């Protein structure tokens, strides 16, 4: 972007060791129908530039939505002043090495561009989905939702960075709520907003769309007639749409290095993981292999480089159950002395980049679905997250799901409602007994990962196969 290069050349201060400008433009459209009527039709556009400068080992930031040369230069001057003032009290002296040169382009892959469906087409489809979901009189509420995001970022810096990324992001959801004799149940399409991808309408208007709609309607009716989940220790099988939440909360957040260093203590909590655990802690069973991988095509948080200009690469965080690497960007790596990843990300143009998850994936194993189910004498299979609770050290957790079925003597039997399970992070992952093969793998994401002061809501992707955990405390709820 020529304006950024022009401003960069005019930053002339002997105090500034490095300067970077990151321009972001993002257009978001949301549409929703409820009970067959349009309820939400809105488009939001936001645009601005974040300026970063390095003065005496301290980074300073200033942002502006004004896209003219003088406003950007004033933001540069403000960032310089803030960095110089903060440098007197810095806890660590950073260098230009934490902002590597990047010259690269990236674009999300598309099959069906967003321009291929008009607002009327989208609304008509959402209304039609609501109609199909209303398959029984006990279904008292139906919803269908679609969000598209078109986002572009440009990044230039005084050490030669000149990079561009263009993202197309889609999130869809539909759900039905049913009531029968005082029992109220909700069923969604893979968990609330879990169907989040990079790409176009091919991720909504799929060959199996109407099968998925019918399944949601059928399963919500099964749930209002189902028995509550039993309370006992048993084998637990988690589908990929619930593994998404399990990975996110009990692997992703505990491994953020800035959290381990204490940066999030006052807001989002600390972590049970200590710096000395890397390379020594057996986080899970030897079947557990977890990667940070922003290079996966169509996964929700794929990118070529993070918001500091660090090139994205696939890295193992946990290998054969052993903790080997943290979710720390360049600043956290130099502060902690730990290996990290390219994960300093900002939620918008008016936020500074911090350590975040991106695509965090559990690698596939060798067990088929039939082998997993056939190995279980008594257990339960759960899918689609409904509720979550985890302590501020990301250690003790309790998660609820929408839909479950009992497993008896190697066979999936009756439907169960209000299924929940609880555990402690490391013992839970050490109880990982079987990991599904590629045929069981699912790709999901969430638009709603929150962290930081001021708060940043960011997009994260998770892929996982079906997994079996041995001897987990399962319990029911409701009437």
């Amino acid at each position: 972007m020529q304006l950024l290069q022009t401003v960069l050349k005019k930053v002339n201060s002997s105090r500034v060791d490095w300067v970077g400008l990151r321009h972001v433009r993002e257009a978001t459209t949301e549409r929703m129908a409820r009970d067959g009527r349009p309820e939400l039709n809105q488009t939001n556009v936001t645009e601005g530039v974040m300026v970063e400068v390095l003065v005496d080992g301290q980074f300073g930031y200033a942002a502006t939505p004004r896209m003219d040369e003088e406003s950007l230069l004033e933001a540069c001057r403000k960032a310089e002043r803030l960095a110089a003032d903060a440098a007197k009290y810095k806890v660590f002296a950073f260098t230009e090495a934490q902002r590597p040169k990047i010259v690269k382009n990236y674009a999300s892959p598309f099959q069906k561009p967003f321009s291929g469906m008009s607002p009327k087409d989208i609304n008509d489809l959402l209304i039609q989905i609501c109609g199909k979901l209303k398959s029984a009189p006990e279904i008292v509420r139906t919803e269908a939702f679609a969000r598209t995001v078109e986002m572009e970022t440009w990044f230039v810096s005084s050490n030669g960075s000149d990079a561009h990324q263009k993202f197309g992001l889609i999130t869809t959801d539909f759900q039905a709520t049913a009531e029968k004799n005082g029992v109220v149940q909700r069923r969604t399409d893979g968990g609330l907003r879990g169907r989040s991808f990079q790409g176009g309408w091919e991720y909504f208007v799929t060959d199996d769309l109407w099968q998925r709609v019918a399944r949601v309607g059928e399963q919500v009716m099964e749930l209002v007639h189902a028995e509550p989940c039993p309370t006992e220790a048993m084998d637990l099988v988690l589908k990929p749409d619930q593994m998404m939440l399990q990975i996110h909360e009990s692997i992703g957040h505990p491994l953020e290095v800035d959290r381990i260093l204490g940066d999030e203590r006052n807001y989002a909590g600390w972590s049970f993981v200590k710096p000395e655990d890397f390379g020594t802690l057996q986080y899970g069973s030897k079947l557990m292999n977890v990667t940070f991988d922003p290079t996966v095509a169509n996964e929700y948080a794929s990118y070529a480089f993070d918001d500091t200009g660090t090139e994205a690469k696939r890295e193992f965080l946990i290998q054969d159950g052993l903790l080997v690497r943290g979710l720390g960007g360049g600043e956290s790596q130099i502060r902690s002395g730990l290996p990290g990843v390219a994960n300093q990300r900002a939620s918008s143009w008016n936020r500074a980049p911090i350590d975040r998850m991106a695509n965090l994936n559990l690698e596939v194993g060798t067990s088929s679905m039939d082998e997993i189910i056939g190995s279980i004498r008594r257990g339960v299979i759960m899918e689609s997250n409904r509720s979550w609770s985890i302590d501020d050290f990301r250690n003790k957790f309790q998660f609820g799901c929408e839909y479950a079925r009992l497993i008896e003597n190697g066979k999936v039997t009756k439907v169960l409602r209000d299924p929940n399970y609880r555990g402690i992070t490391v013992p839970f992952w050490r109880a990982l007994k079987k990991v599904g093969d590629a045929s069981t793998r699912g790709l999901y994401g969430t638009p709603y990962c929150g962290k930081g002061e001021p708060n940043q809501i960011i997009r994260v992707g998770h892929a996982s196969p079906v997994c079996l955990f041995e001897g987990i405390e399962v319990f029911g709820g409701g009437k």
Side-chain angles (χ1 to χ4, degrees), residues 5 46 179 193 237 242 271 368 422 429 458:
Q5 293 286 7
T46 181
E179 187 274 335
R193 311 294 192 254
V237 178
Q242 174 59 21
S271 173
S368 70
R422 61 169 63 98
W429 284 104
I458 210 159

Side-chain angles (χ1 to χ4, degrees), residues 155-378:
F155 179 69
V156 302
S157 70
S158 56
N159 60 340
S161 291
D162 188 358
H164 173 251
Q165 301 195 98
K166 186 174 184 178
F167 303 94
L169 305 143
I170 184 165
T171 295
T172 65
D173 189 21
F174 47 82
Q175 56 186 274
T177 302
E179 187 274 335
K180 179 77 171 179
N181 298 326
V183 174
V184 178
Q185 293 289 302
R186 183 185 70 176
R187 190 73 177 100
T188 67
D189 181 33
L192 183 65
R193 311 294 192 254
R195 290 185 60 83
S196 293
F197 309 98
Q198 281 191 39
W201 289 116
E202 67 272 14
Y203 279 98
F204 191 19
V205 189
T206 59
D207 292 340
D208 67 345
L209 172 61
W210 299 112
Q211 292 174 309
R212 289 173 16 232
V213 171
R215 183 168 62 245
V216 167
E218 291 164 3
Q219 290 185 346
V220 77
M221 289 304 299
E222 292 175 351
L223 287 169
V224 292
H225 292 96
E227 297 177 15
C229 181
T231 298
E232 61 184 273
M234 64 172 75
D235 287 352
L236 172 65
V237 178
L238 296 181
K239 289 283 195 75
D241 58 355
Q242 174 59 21
M243 284 299 298
M244 173 180 72
L245 188 278
Q246 188 68 55
I247 293 166
H248 186 96
E249 298 291 350
S250 68
I251 300 175
H253 282 307
L255 297 192
E256 293 163 343
V257 178
D258 59 350
R259 185 187 296 267
I260 293 168
L261 293 171
D263 293 1
E264 289 283 311
R265 281 179 297 184
N266 294 334
Y267 180 58
W270 216 333
S271 173
F272 73 90
V273 176
K274 302 177 180 65
E276 58 267 27
D277 289 336
F278 290 91
T280 63
L281 175 64
Q282 191 69 27
Y283 207 98
S285 79
K286 290 187 178 295
L287 298 175
M288 183 186 187
N289 291 283
V290 179
T291 57
F292 169 89
D293 192 359
T295 71
V296 179
N298 298 111
E299 197 164 358
Y300 202 39
S302 290
Y303 51 85
F305 53 91
D306 73 7
D307 289 326
T308 67
T310 303
E311 187 172 2
K313 297 178 182 177
R314 180 177 186 264
E315 300 280 5
F316 274 90
L317 305 181
I318 297 171
Q319 198 160 17
D320 299 329
L322 182 68
L323 177 62
V324 295
R325 186 179 294 265
L327 289 169
E331 292 170 34
S332 290
Q333 290 173 44
I334 195 69
R335 287 171 61 196
S336 66
L338 296 170
V341 295
N343 75 323
Q344 280 192 258
R345 305 169 62 206
S347 63
S348 187
W349 57 268
N350 57 3
R351 294 291 187 267
I354 58 176
D355 290 349
R356 303 305 302 259
M357 282 178 267
N359 295 335
L360 201 61
N361 302 331
L362 185 73
E363 299 299 303
V364 299
T366 59
S367 298
S368 70
M369 191 68 176
D370 287 345
E371 288 170 346
I372 291 171
I373 299 300
S375 71
I376 298 170
R377 186 185 66 81
R378 181 169 172 82

Side-chain angles (χ1 to χ4, degrees), residues 236-239 242 380-383 401 403-404 419-421 474:
L236 172 65
V237 178
L238 296 181
K239 289 283 195 75
Q242 174 59 21
V380 64
I381 182 168
M382 298 187 191
E383 53 189 286
C401 295
Y403 186 83
N420 304 271
Y421 65 99
V474 169

